[in-house]
Each structure stands twice: as C-alpha cells, then as structure tokens.
Amino acid sequence: YGNFIDNLRVYVRGGAGGMGYPRLGGEGGRGGDVWFVARERTTLKSIRERYPQKRFIAGTGANSSVKALKGEKGKDCEVHVPPGISVLCDDGTQIGELNAAGERLLAARGGLGGSLATNFLPCKGQRRIVHLDLKLIADVGLVGFPNAGKSSLLSKISHAKPEIANYAFTTVQPGLGKIMYADYKQISVADLPGLIEGAHANKGMGHKFLKHVERTKQLLLVVDISGFQLSVKTRFRTAFETILLLTKELELYKEELLTKPALLAINKMDLPCAKDNLNELMKQLQNPQDFLHLLQEEMIPANTLEFKDIIPISTYTGEGIEELKAHIRKCIDEEAEQENEEYRKKKLLLLQTSV
C-alpha cells in the first residue's frame, strides 16, 4: 500500500485512580481518560511516526492526603486522528466513528480513586487494543477496473498528480484530488485502487478498496470503451460486461452502495472504432435485459445501477472533460438540495409536534 496507511492498531489505557485516605475518609482522584479527537490534516501515518510505540496512557489520579482529601483527577490523554475513522475492538466490534473535525470518542476510561466503597484502594484504568480504520471521505469516488484511465482522469479534472502508466495497477493507494470551479466551489474526488473480479471476496485489494467507496457521496464509474482484460489468463470483457461486473462487485460487498447517485464516464473515445462501440454500448444500456444472456449467471447483478448521466470522454484529447465536471457539480448540488429539503421538513415536523 506504499506510504498510505488506512489501518492502525494501538494500545490505549486509562489512568489508575489515586489512593484513598482511610483515617479521614479521603477519596483518591479518578484516573485520566484516553480520547480520540478528529482533526483536519492529520493522517494515520503521522500518528505512527510520532508515536512509534503506538501506546497511549492517561495520567494517574492524585492520592488523597491531609491537605487535599479529594485527590485531583489524572491528566487525560488526547490522540488526534483524521476524520473518517471507525474505532474497532480487537474482535471487530465497533466502538464508534469520528466523521467530522472536532468530534471526540472515549477510547479508555480512567479507574476510580480509592474511597470507602473500594476499601480506599484505587481501581485500574480500562485497557484495550483498538484498530483505527480509515475510510476516505470524498464527494466523488472513481470506480473502475485497472487501466480504465481513472488516474489520468483525476489529473485532468483536479490538481492531483497521480502516477500514470499504460499497465494495470498503477494505483495501489487511494488518491485525493479537488475539482476547482470558477465560483470557487471545490469538490473532492477519490481515485480508488482498481477493482478486479472477486474483489468482494477480498481478492486483489478487495476490501481495502471497497471500504473507501462507502463514505463517498456519489460514484463515478470509469469504463474503457474498448473493453478490459486483466491478463492473458483472464477473459476479455466488453464495456457493457465491465459495467455489470463493477455493479456486481459493489452489490456483493454492500448492497447500499448501489443506492448512491452514479455517473458513467466512457473513456478512451480517441481510439479507432470508439464511436461504433459507443453506439453498441448505448443500445445495451437502454435495454440491459436483452443482453444479459451474454453473461454467466453469477456475473449478473440483482439490481442495475441507475446512471444520472453517461458522458463519453477522452483523457488523452480532453474531449468531454468540461462536460463531465459540469455533470459532477450538478449531481452534487442536487443531492445537497435534497438533503436541505429533508432537513427543513424534519425541522417543520418537530415544530408542529412541539406546538
């Protein structure tokens, strides 16, 4: 995965409580807590470099004494993490999520101080090993098989500089770019490592790729008009088969992914025969049921993706790029408007019920 880290295993321990003071009934201070705090411009890589031991321990509570019968609480330990983190226990159960900067999550609670209830003996803090699992948050996620031209597209529509070559699997780590519009609006785009058949079963980079799709607001499928073949040993897939296979992979991993708004970019329109292939593909997409017999049964998705728009492009000549940017903007704006409308309706309903 190169320099990109999207999973980190850390040890967290709350501070122990302070000793009680039996003679005067004094209570020891509670141990400090360990908190994860979401913060912009933080990466899991920077956490690993800064804390190579990956151990986070909160301070011990102060002992009770004649001068201070109630001991002070131990110092909390705050760990800054990037937004988009899921915090999981070692057994895979989720403790919580941090999706926006400023959100906090209690990772390990401090122990109680010594008091009459504990025979004036302090309690130890909570200790556990947790996994910080990052899912990229972007407005648009580029989805496609290797070599479909996703990295080229990202470099054309944004200021990102991904590695580009004419072989499969140039992208082995997610890349983020931002589309800048004339009115200064910015839309973030994530180029995700190429899917392969069987990704849902964690083949290739299966889950490492698919989990990043979960947090994107909309999908942009990028398909090579001339079809795709991963290697000599695998079957050649036409553009239509590629779209169905990508849909199937998303469906098998998590069915909800197919409810996201989706656009389809048909790339490499500069190639010879591209126009004929496009006409054929459009026919197939208009009546997919008539062409499903061309595929094996296990490749056919239960639900097909509804594309808001289909845009033919060429990252080589620049054809259709501006049009694609306009469609992405329109799609994002429509979603935001819909969310606002739902929010307004909820508020109105609350006001009506409270009156």
Side-chain angles (χ1 to χ4, degrees), residues 3-5 36 63 65 87 91 102 117 121 181 195 198-199 215 238 243 275-276 278 284 289 333 343:
N3 290 326
F4 182 79
I5 299 172
F36 289 134
N63 295 336
S65 63
V87 183
D91 61 0
L121 294 172
Y181 290 90
L195 265 176
R215 297 266 173 111
T238 63
I243 293 164
K275 292 275 186 287
D276 298 341
L278 180 63
Q284 291 170 323
Q289 302 306 322
D333 287 349
Y343 178 73

Side-chain angles (χ1 to χ4, degrees), residues 10-301:
V10 298
Y11 172 81
V12 289
R13 191 176 86 207
M19 291 288 286
Y21 200 73
R23 211 153 46 110
L24 299 172
E27 277 184 27
R30 246 194 71 212
D33 305 316
V34 180
W35 292 88
F36 289 134
V37 184
R39 190 174 175 182
E40 293 289 354
R41 298 191 180 172
T42 306
T43 63
L44 292 183
K45 186 172 181 248
S46 65
I47 296 172
R48 194 179 70 174
E49 283 170 357
R50 201 167 164 202
Y51 308 100
Q53 300 288 319
K54 295 181 289 188
R55 288 168 68 85
F56 300 100
I57 298 163
T60 308
N63 295 336
S64 170
S65 63
V66 177
K67 288 179 183 171
L69 287 177
K70 180 99 174 87
E72 278 192 21
K73 183 177 182 286
K75 195 175 179 214
D76 285 352
C77 170
E78 286 195 356
V79 187
H80 293 131
V81 296
I85 286 280
S86 297
V87 183
L88 311 166
C89 280
D90 232 2
D91 61 0
T93 53
Q94 188 166 311
I95 301 165
E97 289 187 342
L98 295 161
N99 291 325
E103 286 187 11
R104 296 165 66 84
L105 178 78
L106 182 62
R109 197 177 287 282
L112 293 171
S115 64
L116 187 63
T118 63
N119 208 11
F120 297 99
L121 294 172
C123 301
K124 287 182 177 174
Q126 186 182 15
R127 61 179 74 196
R128 57 182 167 189
I129 287 170
V130 294
H131 293 261
L132 302 177
D133 194 32
L134 175 70
K135 292 174 187 170
L136 285 181
I137 301 176
D139 297 316
V140 183
L142 299 183
V143 179
F145 282 135
N147 219 17
K150 297 189 304 302
S151 299
S152 306
L153 180 59
L154 185 68
S155 68
K156 275 276 187 291
I157 60 176
S158 75
H159 296 291
K161 299 278 179 284
E163 188 187 333
I164 299 162
N166 62 350
Y167 53 85
F169 291 119
T170 343
T171 309
V172 289
Q173 59 186 52
L176 271 176
K178 273 192 163 64
I179 308 176
M180 308 284 190
Y181 290 90
D183 61 353
Y184 302 106
K185 182 172 171 75
Q186 297 181 11
I187 289 176
S188 57
V189 182
D191 171 23
L192 305 155
L195 265 176
I196 62 167
E197 286 178 51
H200 68 275
N202 214 8
K203 277 190 190 168
M205 293 194 168
H207 292 178
K208 278 194 164 173
F209 157 81
L210 285 161
K211 72 173 186 181
H212 293 298
V213 182
E214 288 179 52
R215 297 266 173 111
T216 54
K217 289 179 189 167
Q218 70 178 44
L219 306 177
L220 173 58
L221 266 69
V222 185
V223 172
D224 185 338
I225 188 61
S226 53
F228 168 70
Q229 187 171 15
L230 184 63
S231 70
V232 187
K233 293 175 187 171
T234 56
R235 285 185 57 173
F236 173 78
R237 305 289 185 199
T238 63
F240 177 64
E241 288 176 332
T242 305
I243 293 164
L244 289 180
L245 273 170
L246 287 169
T247 309
K248 185 71 175 170
E249 288 304 330
L250 294 173
E251 180 184 270
L252 288 170
Y253 176 70
K254 215 170 232 186
E255 229 168 300
E256 303 95 83
L257 294 180
L258 298 189
T259 60
K260 287 180 185 287
L263 293 170
L264 175 61
I266 298 161
N267 194 15
K268 307 197 183 176
M269 287 305 294
D270 52 285
L271 296 176
C273 304
K275 292 275 186 287
D276 298 341
N277 288 344
L278 180 63
N279 293 336
E280 179 70 17
L281 178 62
M282 293 311 262
K283 268 188 234 163
Q284 291 170 323
L285 287 173
Q286 271 159 2
N287 301 301
Q289 302 306 322
D290 302 349
F291 300 93
L292 292 180
H293 65 272
L294 301 170
L295 292 155
Q296 294 131 310
E297 210 168 306
E298 65 271 14
M299 283 169 55
I300 301 167

